[in-house]
Amino acid sequence: MSLHLFRHKPDLMGVLDLQGGVHEHLEHLERLGLPYKRVKQAEDFTNLAGLIIPGGESTCLARLLNIFELKDVMLQHHRRGMKIWGTCAGAILLADKVLGEKACLGLIDMEIERNGFGSQLDSFKSEAVINAVSNDPIPLTFIRAPKIIRVGKDVHVLLQIDDYIAAAESDSILVTVFHPELTGCLALHRYFALKCGLNPAAENRSAVHKNWENSSWMQLARIAS
Amino acid sequence: MDAKRYELNVQLAQMLKGGVIMDVTNVEQAKLAEEAGAVAVMALERVPSDIRKDGGVARMSDPAMIAEIKKAVSIPVMAKARIGHFVEAQLLEALRIDYIDESEVLTPADEECHIDKTKFSIPFVCGARNLGEALRRIGEGAAMIRTKGEAGTGNVVEAVRHMRAMNREIRQLAQMPVEEVTGFAKNNGMPYELALRVKELGRLPVVNFAAGGIATPADAALMMQLGCDGVFVGSGIFKSADPALRARAIVKATAYFNDPQKVLEASIGLGEAMPGLEIGQIPPEQILAKRGW
C-alpha cells in the first residue's frame, strides 16, 4: 500500500446510520453524484469530509451515540476537520444548549428548544429564500421541529423566521431545523458539500429536482427479490 | 386530510425508521421508555397481555392518562382507537397526540368498516397480515403500516408470517407483467392503483413496522432483517424481569440489527423475558389478528 493513501484528503460524505431519515439523505447525495457511506461504527468515520446527522428522535440518537462510544470518535474527527450538518434531531444533538435538557455534542454555540411548535398536527410545509444558499425559494418541511432560540456571536444565521432561527452555521457546523431531505431540493446538500470542500455534480443547478417524489428514498430500501 | 398533510404524516413515520415504539401505561414507564431511547410511546391503560388476561371490552384509554404521558415526554405519543370507532379517533385528535393506532388489540367497534382516515388531519397506523390488508388500510388513509402479530403473546411467529406474506406478495407484484396486476389486485382485495404503486416501488409505499409478539432483542433484529422499518414492542418490555435493561437492549438490537455481535451483546444478562403463549393454545375467538379485515 502506498503512502499517499494515508495522506489522502478525506473525500467522502457520511450519513449517521443509527435511526431516522438515513435513506432520504443518501438519496440526495446520490443525486448530487457525491461518494457517500453509512456511518455506524467508529471505523466508518475515516475519510469523511462531512457527516450528516439525520432527523429522527434526538433522545434515541444521543443514547445510541453514548452506548456505542461513537460520540468521542465523532468529536475527534470533528477536531481533525470533518464538517457536520444536523437536520432537525441532528441540530439538537449539535447544540451546546438544549432548553430544559442536557446537551449532547455541544459543537455549536446556540440554544435550541426541542419540539418547539407542538404535536404532529402542528407540523407544516412552507418555503423561503436563503440568500447564502440559493436565489430560488427553498421548500421547507418542519416535522415536530425544534426552534433555535439564539446563537452565539461566531454563529451566522442563515434563515430567521418570525421569532426563531431555522438555519445557522459556524465554520465547521451547519444546522437546519427543517428537513431538506424530505423535499426535492438539493440546494442545502450542495451547500454543505461545498462547505466540506467536495464537488457536487454541476448539472443539478435548479433548487428543486423535478423527478423527485417523497418515495424516492425507497429505491434504497426495496424488499430483496 | 389534504395531500400535503398526508405527506407530512407519512414523513413523520419515516423519521421513526430504525427505532422502537414502546407500549407504556403510566408516566414512569413513559419516562423510562424515552430514557431507554424509544422513538415514540404508545399510551394505553393495559398492555396487550393484560387485556388478553382480563377479557371484556377493551376501549380507548382514559384521555387524562394519555394527556399526562404527553406532558411527561418530548418524543411522539401514540394512542389506540378501536377499529371503526371514529369518535374515539376524533377525541385522540382533539387531544393533539401525534399518531393514532387503529388497533385490533382493542375490541372492534365496527365489524364492517374501518375508520375513514382521510377525514382526519392526525396520522394513523394500522395493522396488516398481508399486502392486501395493508393496501386497503392505506387506501383508507393510513400513513404507516405495522404487522398484526398476535399481541400479548410474546410469540413472534405471527408477525413473521405477516412480514413474509407481504414480502412474497410484493416480489410477485414486482415481477408480474402489468396485465396480471388487475387479477392479482382483485384476488387479494387490493386497490388497483396502490398495487401498481407497490409494483413500481418494490416495497410498501409507506413505512412498515413490526408489531405483535416481539419479546427479545433477537426478535427485533429478526423482524428488521426481514425488511421491517422499525419495531413496536407491547407487553415485551414491561412484562419482563428488568424493563429498563430490556428496553435499552431492544433499542440497540434494532439499530444494529445486521450486526450479530452487537445483538449478542444486547441479549446478555437481561433476566426473564415475558412469559410466552403458544398460538395454538389460544381459543380461535380470542385471536386478535382476525379482528378487522
Side-chain angles (χ1 to χ4, degrees), chain A residues 34-108:
Chain A
L34 290 164
Y36 62 79
K37 65 174 167 184
R38 296 160 182 264
V39 176
K40 223 167 171 144
Q41 324 268 3
E43 56 269 27
D44 297 335
F45 286 88
T46 319
N47 272 335
L48 291 190
L51 174 75
I52 300 175
I53 307 180
E57 278 307 317
S58 57
T59 45
C60 174
L61 290 168
R63 160 120 224 121
L64 290 167
L65 280 179
N66 280 322
I67 48 182
F68 291 110
E69 288 153 11
L70 293 178
K71 187 173 149 179
D72 290 340
V73 181
M74 196 190 295
L75 293 172
Q76 277 165 27
H77 282 269
H78 173 258
R79 280 196 293 274
R80 69 120 171 106
M82 180 183 76
K83 315 277 195 232
I84 309 178
W85 173 19
T87 55
C88 195
I92 298 172
L93 295 186
L94 289 166
D96 74 346
K97 276 214 180 72
V98 184
L99 194 71
E101 286 172 43
K102 244 174 67 190
C104 179
L105 296 164
L107 287 176
I108 182 165

Side-chain angles (χ1 to χ4, degrees), chain A residues 27-39:
Chain A
E27 187 261 344
H28 276 50
L29 296 176
E30 195 162 289
R31 277 181 193 267
L32 282 172
L34 290 164
Y36 62 79
K37 65 174 167 184
R38 296 160 182 264
V39 176

Side-chain angles (χ1 to χ4, degrees), chain B residues 193-240:
Chain B
E193 298 297 330
L194 286 173
L196 279 183
R197 190 83 182 113
V198 168
K199 177 173 173 53
E200 179 192 340
L201 294 173
R203 55 158 288 146
L204 273 186
V206 300
V207 164
N208 183 17
F209 269 45
I214 291 142
T216 67
D219 288 347
L222 171 69
M223 296 310 298
M224 293 297 289
Q225 286 196 30
L226 284 172
C228 288
D229 296 309
V231 175
F232 282 89
V233 186
S235 321
I237 289 169
F238 290 100
K239 287 291 168 186
S240 72

Side-chain angles (χ1 to χ4, degrees), chain B residues 136-201:
Chain B
R136 288 192 292 279
R137 296 294 85 77
I138 294 168
E140 292 162 354
M144 176 179 183
I145 292 296
R146 57 171 175 77
T147 62
K148 217 175 178 183
E150 201 52 27
T153 61
N155 189 342
V156 78
V157 66
E158 293 299 306
V160 168
R161 193 190 314 284
H162 303 161
M163 197 56 200
R164 285 214 180 266
M166 283 191 235
N167 287 350
R168 189 181 313 118
E169 290 161 338
I170 290 169
R171 281 195 299 269
Q172 283 171 345
L173 258 178
Q175 282 156 17
M176 72 179 57
V178 176
E179 64 270 28
E180 287 181 16
V181 175
T182 322
F184 189 78
K186 173 174 176 271
N187 292 337
N188 292 286
M190 296 168 182
Y192 176 69
E193 298 297 330
L194 286 173
L196 279 183
R197 190 83 182 113
V198 168
K199 177 173 173 53
E200 179 192 340
L201 294 173

Side-chain angles (χ1 to χ4, degrees), chain A residues 99-179:
Chain A
L99 194 71
E101 286 172 43
K102 244 174 67 190
C104 179
L105 296 164
L107 287 176
I108 182 165
D109 181 6
M110 68 178 197
E111 183 168 9
I112 196 162
E113 179 188 8
R114 284 194 66 186
N115 209 2
F117 296 87
S119 76
Q120 171 62 5
L121 289 163
D122 304 298
S123 292
F124 63 99
K125 292 175 190 285
S126 66
E127 60 173 37
V129 173
I130 304 177
N131 287 321
V133 176
S134 165
N135 297 328
D136 298 317
I138 289 177
L140 307 174
T141 298
F142 295 79
I143 296 185
R144 288 174 44 85
K147 281 179 176 175
I148 300 169
I149 304 165
R150 50 140 218 103
V151 297
K153 61 174 176 10
D154 296 328
V155 176
H156 174 54
V157 173
L158 291 170
L159 178 63
Q160 165 108 30
I161 305 171
D162 304 329
D163 62 339
Y164 64 94
I165 295 158
E169 69 177 338
S170 64
D171 286 345
S172 62
I173 303 290
L174 173 65
V175 285
T176 56
V177 301
F178 51 87
H179 293 273

